[in-house]
Amino acid sequence: MTEETPGFDEKPDVPSDAASEDAAQAESADKAGSAPAGDVQDVALQAQLDQVRTALNERTADLQRLQAEYQNYRRRVERDRVTVKEIAAANLLSDLLPVLDDIGRAREHGELVGGFKSVAESLETVAAKLGLQQFGKEGEPFDPMIHEALMHSYAPDVTETTCVAILQPGYRIGERTIRPARVAVAEPQPGTQNAKSASEKETKGAKGGKGAKGAKAADKESGGPDKG
């Protein structure tokens, strides 16, 4: 009986050059696989940055809009505050207008003397501090927005409807008219404007007609030269 000697399978020898080539190929494959991953990460970061910029622009626009609305609100509140103040002062001073009228009439008649004069002047000073202003003068053109005509007449020395007498002065606070000025008005005398226009035309015609032309115009106006 023949005895076999135990042994092991022998592997063929691998050349060292082939091993180095396999390692190079594996390294290049790893590099090729890692390069696209870096590009994808950069794209994702850029997308996130764009989203952040968009959100920032939206929040900035919202802040600017809120700031503009707040400024408008402040202006509106200030305007309403001034209006309410003027209305309150107007309501108070409207009740004092008859007293101020009495003071004005007493001053015109020379009755504003002594302690009554001091009290009246103090009242007028307080009214002025509250913004009360008096208006209405003789000789100013009639304005239906601030004047109330109680009397009407004609006058040859006026060229337009004119306030010739102030029956009661007007009062205002700021741009708000509390009471219009009550006045007597006069209009130009009927026919005065027509006569004035005709006179101006005759004057221009006399100045324009010179020499023979002027003589002919004069003869024509007078009915022709005298005969005989």
Side-chain angles (χ1 to χ4, degrees):
M1 183 172 179
T2 305
E3 184 179 356
E4 293 181 357
T5 303
F8 56 88
D9 296 336
E10 295 182 356
K11 295 182 180 180
D13 295 335
V14 179
S16 59
D17 293 340
S20 61
E21 289 179 359
D22 293 340
Q25 290 178 358
E27 183 178 359
S28 61
D30 293 339
K31 290 182 179 181
S34 61
D39 293 341
V40 171
Q41 186 176 6
D42 292 341
V43 171
L45 291 175
Q46 186 64 36
Q48 292 179 359
L49 182 61
D50 293 339
Q51 291 178 357
V52 171
R53 287 176 177 174
T54 302
L56 178 61
N57 293 334
E58 292 177 354
R59 299 301 178 271
T60 303
D62 293 340
L63 180 61
Q64 292 175 348
R65 183 169 55 256
L66 289 175
Q67 186 175 7
E69 291 178 356
Y70 176 67
Q71 294 296 334
N72 293 333
Y73 168 76
R74 288 188 59 186
R75 285 193 291 266
R76 185 168 59 254
V77 169
E78 181 65 19
R79 183 174 62 251
D80 293 343
R81 186 184 67 82
V82 173
T83 301
V84 170
K85 182 179 178 181
E86 289 183 354
I87 293 174
N91 293 334
L92 172 63
L93 295 173
S94 295
D95 296 334
L96 294 178
L97 294 186
V99 179
L100 296 176
D101 291 336
D102 292 338
I103 293 174
R105 283 190 291 267
R107 181 179 287 112
E108 290 177 358
H109 292 86
E111 299 175 356
L112 198 63
V113 294
F116 178 56
K117 179 179 179 181
S118 300
V119 173
E121 290 177 350
S122 299
L123 179 60
E124 291 175 340
T125 301
V126 172
K129 287 182 179 180
L130 292 176
L132 186 67
Q133 299 177 358
Q134 186 182 99
F135 65 90
K137 294 181 180 180
E138 295 183 3
E140 64 184 6
F142 175 76
D143 185 356
M145 299 298 296
I146 60 175
H147 296 138
E148 181 181 354
L150 300 182
M151 298 177 63
H152 177 269
S153 62
Y154 294 97
D157 57 343
V158 297
T159 58
E160 60 181 343
T161 305
T162 306
C163 300
V164 295
I166 305 300
L167 306 179
Q168 279 186 335
Y171 290 97
R172 68 165 63 96
I173 296 179
E175 299 298 328
R176 183 185 300 274
T177 299
I178 299 179
R179 187 182 72 185
R182 292 165 180 171
V183 300
V185 300
E187 292 183 352
Q189 192 72 28
T192 302
Q193 294 293 334
N194 295 333
K196 185 177 180 180
S197 300
S199 177
E200 291 178 353
K201 289 181 180 179
E202 290 177 358
T203 303
K204 291 181 180 179
K207 290 181 179 180
K210 295 181 180 179
K213 293 182 179 180
K216 290 181 180 179
D219 292 341
K220 185 175 180 181
E221 292 177 358
S222 61
D226 295 338
K227 297 182 180 179

